[in-house]
Amino acid sequence: MALADTERAVSNCGDSPFSEIIELNVGGQVYVTRHKTLIAVPDTLLWNMFSKKTPKDLARDSKGRFFLDRDGFLFRYILDYLRDLNLVLPDYFPEKSRLQREADFFQLRDLAKRLSPRVSKDNSISEEISQSDTEEGAQQCCSTAGMETLRTMSVSGTMRSPSLDSRKSGYITVGYRGSYTIGRDIQTDAKFRRVARITVCGKTSLAKEVFGDTLNESRDPDRPPERYTSRYYLKYNFLEQAFDKLTEAGFHMVACSSTGTCAYTSNDPNEDKIWTSYTEYVFCRE
C-alpha cells in the first residue's frame, strides 16, 4: 500500500508521473534512489525509461519495484556514477571489463570510455590502473626502469621467471557441504545430492589470483587485497575444477578434515538415512 501511495505522488522534477523516490530491483539486488539521479545523464537507457515512459510501461517485480535484468552487484557503480558523474573503484577491481559492458548497455558513453583499455604507442592493449595523469607518468617511469633491470639480468644469465618471483606465499582453504541418502538394507543405488556450494577462505588477493571471475564476491564486496575473508564461494560445484586452478597457481594440499552426521527421513528407523558431511581442504603455496 505504501508503494502504491508513493507511485501516486508527483516527482519534484516537473510533471513526471514517477515519484521522487524510486525503488529498483536489479538482478535481485534492491536499490532505492531519487528520480533525478536516474535521469542525470540525457539520452541514456535509464533517462529514456524514467523520462520518456510512464510507470505502467516498465517491468515490475512481485513487490512492485521496477525490474532490470542486469548484474545487481555492478549496478552500484552505475548508480554511483549517476550521482556525481565521477568514477571511483576499489583498489583491486577485477570486474572492469564487465562494468564496461554494463556501461555500454545503459548507454553511458563517457563511463564506458573511461573503462575501456588503453592502447599504448606500440599498439598493445594495457589495463588502465590509474585515472591520474601524474600516477600514470610514475607508472611508465617504473615500467621503463623495470625493463632495464630485466635486460641487465638477462645478460648476466641470472634472470628468473617474473611469474615465479611475484607469486605470494600463503594458504587457501576450500570447503563444501555434501549429502546423500542410503536406502534400507544399504542399497547399492545410493542417491547422491550435488555439492550445494564450494566456499573459499583466505587472503583476498590470493583468492582472486587463483579463481578470478569464477569467485563470487557478492557476500563480501570491496574487501582490500591484504585482508582475509571466509565469505567467498565459487560459481561452480566441481571440486576437481577448484583443485585444478589451485594446482595451476602453484598450490599443493597440506591438510584435509571432514565431519558427518546421520539422520532418518522419518521416525521409522527402516526408512532411508540421510548422511550430511562437511569437508575442508587446506592448500599452501610457499
Side-chain angles (χ1 to χ4, degrees), residues 142-163:
C142 292
S143 176
T144 303
M147 290 300 296
E148 188 65 32
T149 301
L150 288 176
R151 282 194 293 267
T152 302
M153 294 174 66
S154 179
V155 171
S156 62
T158 59
M159 185 177 69
R160 297 178 60 191
S161 172
S163 60

Side-chain angles (χ1 to χ4, degrees), residues 21-140:
I21 304 300
I22 302 292
E23 290 190 43
L24 302 172
N25 178 349
V26 184
Q29 299 286 334
V30 176
Y31 291 90
V32 180
T33 186
R34 291 183 177 275
H35 176 260
K36 64 179 182 180
T37 300
L38 297 175
I39 61 173
V41 181
D43 298 323
T44 61
L45 178 67
L46 293 173
W47 182 83
N48 279 288
M49 289 176 61
F50 291 95
S51 65
K52 295 297 184 180
K53 297 182 180 181
T54 61
K56 65 180 182 180
D57 297 327
L58 303 180
R60 306 284 191 107
D61 65 6
S62 58
K63 294 187 178 180
R65 294 178 288 240
F66 296 108
F67 179 74
L68 293 167
D69 189 16
R70 301 301 299 179
D71 192 312
F73 170 73
L74 293 177
F75 187 76
R76 61 186 300 187
Y77 300 106
I78 299 293
L79 201 56
D80 283 344
Y81 175 78
L82 291 174
R83 291 187 177 113
D84 54 14
L85 302 183
N86 188 29
L87 176 64
V88 179
L89 297 177
D91 293 334
Y92 185 90
F93 188 73
E95 308 284 351
K96 187 173 291 186
S97 61
R98 294 180 59 188
L99 182 57
Q100 181 188 0
R101 183 180 63 183
E102 295 301 301
D104 288 331
F105 175 82
F106 287 106
Q107 301 170 10
L108 293 166
R109 288 177 286 274
D110 183 63
L111 177 58
K113 184 179 179 180
R114 296 189 192 184
L115 292 167
S116 62
R118 291 190 174 185
V119 179
S120 61
K121 294 181 180 179
D122 59 353
N123 292 327
S124 62
I125 298 178
S126 59
E127 191 73 18
E128 180 185 1
I129 299 177
S130 173
Q131 299 173 5
S132 170
D133 292 336
T134 302
E135 293 177 357
E136 182 180 316
Q139 179 185 356
Q140 293 177 351

Side-chain angles (χ1 to χ4, degrees), residues 159-171:
M159 185 177 69
R160 297 178 60 191
S161 172
S163 60
L164 293 177
D165 291 335
S166 61
R167 294 192 310 185
K168 295 182 179 180
S169 60
Y171 291 85

